CSV table of all heavy atoms in Angstrom, one decimal:
chain,number,residue,atom,x,y,z
B,5,ALA,N,11.0,-20.0,20.6
B,5,ALA,CA,10.4,-19.7,19.3
B,5,ALA,C,11.5,-19.8,18.2
B,5,ALA,O,11.2,-20.3,17.1
B,5,ALA,CB,9.8,-18.3,19.3
B,6,ILE,N,12.7,-19.3,18.5
B,6,ILE,CA,13.8,-19.4,17.6
B,6,ILE,C,14.1,-20.9,17.2
B,6,ILE,O,14.3,-21.3,16.1
B,6,ILE,CB,15.1,-18.7,18.1
B,6,ILE,CG1,14.8,-17.2,18.2
B,6,ILE,CG2,16.3,-18.9,17.2
B,6,ILE,CD1,15.9,-16.4,19.0
B,7,PHE,N,14.1,-21.7,18.3
B,7,PHE,CA,14.4,-23.1,18.1
B,7,PHE,C,13.3,-23.8,17.3
B,7,PHE,O,13.6,-24.6,16.5
B,7,PHE,CB,14.6,-23.8,19.5
B,7,PHE,CG,16.0,-23.7,20.0
B,7,PHE,CD1,16.5,-22.5,20.4
B,7,PHE,CD2,16.8,-24.8,20.1
B,7,PHE,CE1,17.8,-22.3,20.9
B,7,PHE,CE2,18.1,-24.7,20.6
B,7,PHE,CZ,18.6,-23.4,21.0
B,8,GLU,N,12.1,-23.4,17.6
B,8,GLU,CA,10.9,-23.9,16.8
B,8,GLU,C,11.0,-23.5,15.3
B,8,GLU,O,10.8,-24.3,14.4
B,8,GLU,CB,9.7,-23.4,17.4
B,8,GLU,CG,8.5,-24.4,17.4
B,8,GLU,CD,7.4,-23.9,18.4
B,8,GLU,OE1,7.6,-23.9,19.6
B,8,GLU,OE2,6.4,-23.6,17.8
B,9,ALA,N,11.4,-22.3,15.1
B,9,ALA,CA,11.6,-21.8,13.7
B,9,ALA,C,12.7,-22.5,13.0
B,9,ALA,O,12.6,-22.9,11.8
B,9,ALA,CB,11.9,-20.3,13.7
B,10,MET,N,13.8,-22.8,13.7
B,10,MET,CA,14.9,-23.6,13.1
B,10,MET,C,14.3,-25.0,12.7
B,10,MET,O,14.6,-25.4,11.6
B,10,MET,CB,16.0,-23.8,14.1
B,10,MET,CG,16.9,-22.6,14.3
B,10,MET,SD,18.4,-23.0,15.1
B,10,MET,CE,18.0,-22.9,16.8
B,11,GLN,N,13.6,-25.6,13.6
B,11,GLN,CA,13.1,-26.9,13.3
B,11,GLN,C,12.1,-26.9,12.1
B,11,GLN,O,11.9,-27.9,11.4
B,11,GLN,CB,12.5,-27.6,14.5
B,11,GLN,CG,12.1,-29.0,14.2
B,11,GLN,CD,12.0,-29.8,15.5
B,11,GLN,OE1,12.7,-29.6,16.5
B,11,GLN,NE2,11.0,-30.8,15.5
B,12,ASN,N,11.4,-25.8,12.0
B,12,ASN,CA,10.4,-25.7,10.9
B,12,ASN,C,10.9,-25.2,9.6
B,12,ASN,O,10.2,-25.1,8.6
B,12,ASN,CB,9.2,-24.8,11.3
B,12,ASN,CG,8.4,-25.4,12.5
B,12,ASN,OD1,8.3,-26.6,12.6
B,12,ASN,ND2,7.9,-24.6,13.3
B,13,SER,N,12.3,-25.0,9.5
B,13,SER,CA,12.9,-24.4,8.3
B,13,SER,C,12.9,-25.5,7.2
B,13,SER,O,12.8,-26.7,7.5
B,13,SER,CB,14.3,-23.9,8.6
B,13,SER,OG,15.1,-25.0,9.0
B,14,SER,N,13.1,-25.1,6.0
B,14,SER,CA,13.2,-26.0,4.9
B,14,SER,C,14.4,-26.9,4.9
B,14,SER,O,14.4,-28.1,4.5
B,14,SER,CB,13.1,-25.3,3.5
B,14,SER,OG,14.1,-24.3,3.5
B,15,VAL,N,15.6,-26.3,5.5
B,15,VAL,CA,16.8,-27.1,5.6
B,15,VAL,C,16.6,-28.3,6.5
B,15,VAL,O,17.0,-29.4,6.3
B,15,VAL,CB,18.0,-26.2,6.1
B,15,VAL,CG1,19.2,-27.0,6.3
B,15,VAL,CG2,18.2,-25.1,5.2
B,16,SER,N,15.9,-28.0,7.7
B,16,SER,CA,15.6,-29.0,8.6
B,16,SER,C,14.7,-30.1,8.0
B,16,SER,O,15.0,-31.3,8.2
B,16,SER,CB,14.9,-28.3,9.8
B,16,SER,OG,14.4,-29.3,10.7
B,17,GLU,N,13.7,-29.7,7.3
B,17,GLU,CA,12.8,-30.6,6.6
B,17,GLU,C,13.6,-31.5,5.6
B,17,GLU,O,13.4,-32.7,5.6
B,17,GLU,CB,11.7,-29.9,5.9
B,17,GLU,CG,10.6,-30.9,5.5
B,17,GLU,CD,9.5,-30.2,4.7
B,17,GLU,OE1,9.7,-29.0,4.3
B,17,GLU,OE2,8.5,-30.8,4.4
B,18,TYR,N,14.5,-30.9,4.9
B,18,TYR,CA,15.3,-31.6,3.9
B,18,TYR,C,16.1,-32.7,4.6
B,18,TYR,O,16.2,-33.8,4.2
B,18,TYR,CB,16.2,-30.7,3.1
B,18,TYR,CG,17.2,-31.4,2.3
B,18,TYR,CD1,16.9,-32.0,1.1
B,18,TYR,CD2,18.5,-31.6,2.7
B,18,TYR,CE1,17.8,-32.8,0.4
B,18,TYR,CE2,19.5,-32.3,2.0
B,18,TYR,CZ,19.1,-32.9,0.8
B,18,TYR,OH,20.0,-33.6,0.1
B,19,LEU,N,16.8,-32.3,5.7
B,19,LEU,CA,17.7,-33.2,6.4
B,19,LEU,C,16.9,-34.4,7.0
B,19,LEU,O,17.3,-35.5,7.0
B,19,LEU,CB,18.4,-32.5,7.5
B,19,LEU,CG,19.5,-31.5,7.1
B,19,LEU,CD1,20.0,-30.6,8.2
B,19,LEU,CD2,20.7,-32.2,6.5
B,20,ARG,N,15.7,-34.0,7.5
B,20,ARG,CA,14.9,-35.1,8.2
B,20,ARG,C,14.4,-36.1,7.1
B,20,ARG,O,14.3,-37.3,7.4
B,20,ARG,CB,13.6,-34.5,8.9
B,20,ARG,CG,13.9,-34.1,10.3
B,20,ARG,CD,12.6,-33.9,11.1
B,20,ARG,NE,11.7,-33.0,10.4
B,20,ARG,CZ,11.8,-31.6,10.6
B,20,ARG,NH1,12.7,-31.1,11.4
B,20,ARG,NH2,10.9,-30.8,10.0
B,21,LEU,N,14.1,-35.6,5.9
B,21,LEU,CA,13.5,-36.5,4.9
B,21,LEU,C,14.6,-37.2,4.1
B,21,LEU,O,14.3,-38.3,3.5
B,21,LEU,CB,12.6,-35.7,3.9
B,21,LEU,CG,11.4,-35.1,4.6
B,21,LEU,CD1,10.6,-34.2,3.6
B,21,LEU,CD2,10.5,-36.2,5.2
B,22,SER,N,15.8,-36.7,4.0
B,22,SER,CA,16.8,-37.3,3.3
B,22,SER,C,17.4,-38.5,4.0
B,22,SER,O,17.7,-38.4,5.2
B,22,SER,CB,18.0,-36.3,3.0
B,22,SER,OG,19.1,-37.0,2.7
B,23,LEU,N,17.6,-39.6,3.4
B,23,LEU,CA,18.1,-40.8,4.1
B,23,LEU,C,19.6,-40.7,4.3
B,23,LEU,O,20.1,-41.2,5.3
B,23,LEU,CB,17.8,-42.1,3.2
B,23,LEU,CG,16.3,-42.5,3.1
B,23,LEU,CD1,16.2,-43.7,2.2
B,23,LEU,CD2,15.8,-42.9,4.5
B,24,LYS,N,20.3,-40.1,3.4
B,24,LYS,CA,21.8,-40.1,3.4
B,24,LYS,C,22.4,-39.0,4.2
B,24,LYS,O,23.5,-39.0,4.6
B,24,LYS,CB,22.3,-40.2,2.0
B,24,LYS,CG,21.8,-41.2,1.1
B,24,LYS,CD,22.6,-42.4,0.9
B,24,LYS,CE,22.1,-43.3,-0.1
B,24,LYS,NZ,22.3,-44.7,0.2
B,25,ALA,N,21.6,-37.9,4.3
B,25,ALA,CA,22.2,-36.6,4.8
B,25,ALA,C,22.7,-36.8,6.3
B,25,ALA,O,23.8,-36.4,6.6
B,25,ALA,CB,21.2,-35.5,4.7
B,26,MET,N,21.8,-37.4,7.1
B,26,MET,CA,22.2,-37.4,8.5
B,26,MET,C,23.4,-38.2,8.9
B,26,MET,O,24.3,-37.7,9.6
B,26,MET,CB,21.0,-37.9,9.4
B,26,MET,CG,19.9,-36.9,9.5
B,26,MET,SD,20.4,-35.3,10.0
B,26,MET,CE,20.8,-35.6,11.7
B,27,PRO,N,23.6,-39.5,8.3
B,27,PRO,CA,24.9,-40.1,8.6
B,27,PRO,C,26.1,-39.4,8.1
B,27,PRO,O,27.1,-39.4,8.8
B,27,PRO,CB,24.7,-41.5,7.9
B,27,PRO,CG,23.5,-41.4,7.0
B,27,PRO,CD,22.7,-40.3,7.6
B,28,ILE,N,26.0,-38.7,7.0
B,28,ILE,CA,27.1,-37.9,6.4
B,28,ILE,C,27.4,-36.7,7.4
B,28,ILE,O,28.6,-36.5,7.8
B,28,ILE,CB,26.8,-37.4,5.0
B,28,ILE,CG1,26.8,-38.7,4.0
B,28,ILE,CG2,27.9,-36.4,4.5
B,28,ILE,CD1,26.3,-38.4,2.7
B,29,VAL,N,26.4,-36.0,7.7
B,29,VAL,CA,26.6,-34.8,8.6
B,29,VAL,C,27.1,-35.2,10.0
B,29,VAL,O,28.1,-34.7,10.5
B,29,VAL,CB,25.2,-34.0,8.8
B,29,VAL,CG1,25.4,-32.9,9.8
B,29,VAL,CG2,24.7,-33.4,7.5
B,30,GLU,N,26.5,-36.3,10.5
B,30,GLU,CA,27.0,-36.8,11.8
B,30,GLU,C,28.5,-37.3,11.7
B,30,GLU,O,29.3,-37.0,12.6
B,30,GLU,CB,26.2,-38.0,12.3
B,30,GLU,CG,24.8,-37.5,12.9
B,30,GLU,CD,24.0,-38.7,13.5
B,30,GLU,OE1,24.6,-39.8,13.7
B,30,GLU,OE2,22.8,-38.5,13.6
B,31,ALA,N,28.8,-38.0,10.6
B,31,ALA,CA,30.2,-38.5,10.5
B,31,ALA,C,31.2,-37.3,10.3
B,31,ALA,O,32.3,-37.3,11.0
B,31,ALA,CB,30.3,-39.4,9.3
B,32,ILE,N,30.8,-36.3,9.6
B,32,ILE,CA,31.7,-35.1,9.4
B,32,ILE,C,31.9,-34.4,10.8
B,32,ILE,O,33.0,-34.0,11.2
B,32,ILE,CB,31.2,-34.1,8.4
B,32,ILE,CG1,31.2,-34.8,7.0
B,32,ILE,CG2,32.1,-32.9,8.3
B,32,ILE,CD1,30.6,-34.0,5.9
B,33,HIS,N,30.8,-34.4,11.6
B,33,HIS,CA,30.9,-33.8,12.9
B,33,HIS,C,31.9,-34.5,13.8
B,33,HIS,O,32.7,-33.9,14.5
B,33,HIS,CB,29.5,-33.8,13.6
B,33,HIS,CG,29.3,-32.9,14.8
B,33,HIS,ND1,29.4,-31.6,14.7
B,33,HIS,CD2,29.1,-33.2,16.1
B,33,HIS,CE1,29.3,-31.1,15.9
B,33,HIS,NE2,29.1,-32.0,16.8
B,34,VAL,N,31.8,-35.9,13.7
B,34,VAL,CA,32.8,-36.7,14.5
B,34,VAL,C,34.2,-36.5,14.0
B,34,VAL,O,35.1,-36.3,14.8
B,34,VAL,CB,32.4,-38.2,14.5
B,34,VAL,CG1,33.4,-39.0,15.3
B,34,VAL,CG2,31.0,-38.4,15.1
B,35,MET,N,34.4,-36.5,12.7
B,35,MET,CA,35.7,-36.3,12.1
B,35,MET,C,36.3,-34.9,12.6
B,35,MET,O,37.4,-34.8,13.0
B,35,MET,CB,35.7,-36.2,10.6
B,35,MET,CG,35.4,-37.5,9.9
B,35,MET,SD,35.1,-37.1,8.1
B,35,MET,CE,34.3,-38.6,7.6
B,36,ALA,N,35.4,-33.9,12.6
B,36,ALA,CA,35.8,-32.5,12.9
B,36,ALA,C,36.2,-32.4,14.4
B,36,ALA,O,37.2,-31.9,14.8
B,36,ALA,CB,34.7,-31.5,12.5
B,37,ILE,N,35.3,-33.0,15.3
B,37,ILE,CA,35.5,-32.8,16.7
B,37,ILE,C,36.8,-33.7,17.1
B,37,ILE,O,37.5,-33.3,18.0
B,37,ILE,CB,34.3,-33.2,17.5
B,37,ILE,CG1,34.4,-32.7,19.0
B,37,ILE,CG2,33.9,-34.6,17.5
B,37,ILE,CD1,34.4,-31.2,19.2
Side-chain angles (χ1 to χ4, degrees):
Chain B
I6 295 171
F7 275 66
E8 218 166 289
M10 281 197 276
Q11 187 160 324
N12 293 330
S13 66
S14 54
V15 179
S16 174
E17 192 185 9
Y18 169 78
L19 289 167
R20 273 198 305 274
L21 297 177
S22 161
L23 288 177
K24 311 259 186 216
M26 287 310 285
I28 293 170
V29 173
E30 284 185 17
I32 297 173
H33 195 65
V34 177
M35 290 169 196
I37 193 71

